Amino acid sequence: MAPARRPHPIVAAFTDTPKDFLTILRESRAPRDPMVETMLRLREAPHSERSIDAALGQAGETPLQGADPDLTLLFLGLWCNTALFAGRKTEALALFHRAQSLLNAKTPLEIRTQLMLMEGQLSGNREAHKRLLQKAIEDHPDSPRREFRVASLASLLASQGRAADLADEIRRYRKRPGGWIRWTLFVDAVETGRLAEADARLAELGEGFLGALEGKSLLQTYQSLLRFMHEVKKERAIPSSSALPQPLGVLRSLFERRVPEALRAARAMEEAGPRPDGDGILTLN
């Protein structure tokens, strides 16, 4: 009987520890093999000024032949996620189906679960994605990756003003390091119009967390949305569209019942480039 294949160190860290994926990749020993080097570049791309397109291009040039099969699945999943973040959904879907075709009876449970959750993201159906996250959390309560799945579910619910649905989980993880709870509570406060609380939550985020936040444009949009809501509440003159980020310019036109103008602005925004799907009040756009 042949001895069991030892897992790749990256795979072992992913399936057996609660470390986030970026930390796992950064802690890998140099010199890294080409696949791990590309994975690190893909994972760092949303945090840095380096081009996501360049990282995706490097992924396309990375050889898969002879690579560890479980590492290959993590690579394809990360590539898929980065493509989706960049608004390249067709590419992301192709990568997901490629990864699915490589699943087998020996694939670790954590990697199977991760691909299942990716399917929820790609579906574009928020309720389906929510149900898959809930299933992963409930079916695998002892998973070392449980907190990451709770954080994803919290982000999704907060963007709909429903963070209270996860009150028990938020209490459970409240003293843990990391900023996902602070971000969740800030977004939830903005989405539900609790402006004083939102101001306080924004101050609590801290510069260190804000500097590491993926998708800084999302933070800027929420900050602008909060200012916009303050202006409306105080019955001041609503800022002109030129003074607002594009999504809020559309919202301003809707608020003033200027629907044709809102449609023109929304179409111009769509033509400017793809964006990750949104939730919450901005989906009125």
Side-chain angles (χ1 to χ4, degrees):
M1 182 176 178
R5 176 173 55 85
R6 292 183 63 183
H8 189 283
I10 298 291
V11 173
F14 183 85
T15 59
D16 300 337
T17 78
K19 293 181 179 180
D20 68 86
F21 205 18
L22 181 56
T23 298
I24 289 170
L25 292 167
R26 283 176 171 168
E27 289 180 349
S28 60
R29 291 183 179 180
R32 303 179 179 95
D33 63 57
M35 182 173 285
V36 175
E37 193 65 49
T38 301
M39 291 171 76
L40 178 58
R41 186 168 184 188
L42 285 169
R43 190 64 190 85
E44 286 183 332
H47 292 270
S48 70
E49 299 302 321
R50 297 175 69 181
S51 168
I52 289 181
D53 288 340
L56 291 168
Q58 181 175 321
E61 297 171 358
T62 300
L64 305 188
Q65 188 173 4
D68 179 276
D70 296 330
L71 183 68
T72 299
L73 285 168
L74 287 177
F75 170 68
L76 290 172
L78 181 55
W79 185 0
C80 172
N81 190 66
T82 307
L84 186 62
F85 184 86
R88 292 158 62 164
K89 191 168 183 178
T90 300
E91 179 180 347
L93 281 166
L95 291 163
F96 170 74
H97 291 307
R98 188 175 182 183
Q100 268 196 322
S101 72
L102 299 177
L103 289 171
N104 59 66
K106 295 181 180 179
T107 302
L109 176 63
E110 293 297 342
I111 295 178
R112 284 180 172 277
T113 303
Q114 200 70 9
L115 286 175
M116 176 190 76
L117 296 177
M118 179 58 66
E119 183 175 15
Q121 283 184 272
L122 287 166
S123 72
N125 185 321
R126 302 296 171 175
E127 285 304 306
H129 188 200
K130 183 189 79 171
R131 287 193 296 271
L132 287 172
L133 282 165
Q134 290 172 325
K135 176 176 172 57
I137 292 165
E138 293 166 5
D139 289 357
H140 311 296
D142 299 321
S143 167
R145 312 212 73 72
R146 184 182 189 278
E147 184 176 352
F148 296 111
R149 289 159 192 164
V150 171
S152 294
L153 180 58
S155 178
L156 190 155
L157 290 173
S159 66
Q160 300 170 342
R162 296 168 55 194
D165 293 359
L166 274 187
D168 291 343
E169 295 287 2
I170 289 172
R171 279 192 292 271
R172 173 176 177 170
Y173 291 111
R174 194 146 200 166
K175 294 183 179 180
R176 298 285 290 274
W180 69 265
I181 288 179
R182 285 173 287 162
W183 174 253
T184 294
L185 296 176
F186 166 63
V187 170
D188 189 72
V190 175
E191 290 287 357
T192 53
R194 306 190 318 269
L195 305 189
E197 180 181 343
D199 289 336
R201 298 291 185 193
L202 179 61
E204 288 173 3
L205 286 176
E207 289 186 9
F209 171 73
L210 298 181
L213 182 67
E214 290 185 17
K216 293 183 177 61
S217 62
L218 182 61
L219 169 65
Q220 292 163 358
T221 297
Y222 267 107
Q223 288 175 312
S224 297
L225 177 57
L226 181 57
R227 288 194 296 270
F228 179 88
M229 294 168 80
H230 273 299
E231 296 295 333
V232 171
K233 184 177 180 181
K234 293 175 182 176
E235 297 184 349
R236 296 178 181 170
I238 299 172
S240 68
S241 296
S242 61
L244 296 168
Q246 278 186 317
L248 289 176
V250 179
L251 189 62
R252 171 191 177 275
S253 298
L254 286 172
F255 188 87
E256 295 184 336
R257 301 181 186 276
R258 289 141 64 108
V259 176
E261 179 183 309
L263 284 171
R264 283 194 297 273
R267 287 173 184 141
M269 184 172 63
E270 192 67 28
E271 289 170 2
R275 307 172 320 283
D277 292 338
D279 285 301
I281 192 169
L282 293 179
T283 55
L284 286 171
N285 292 354

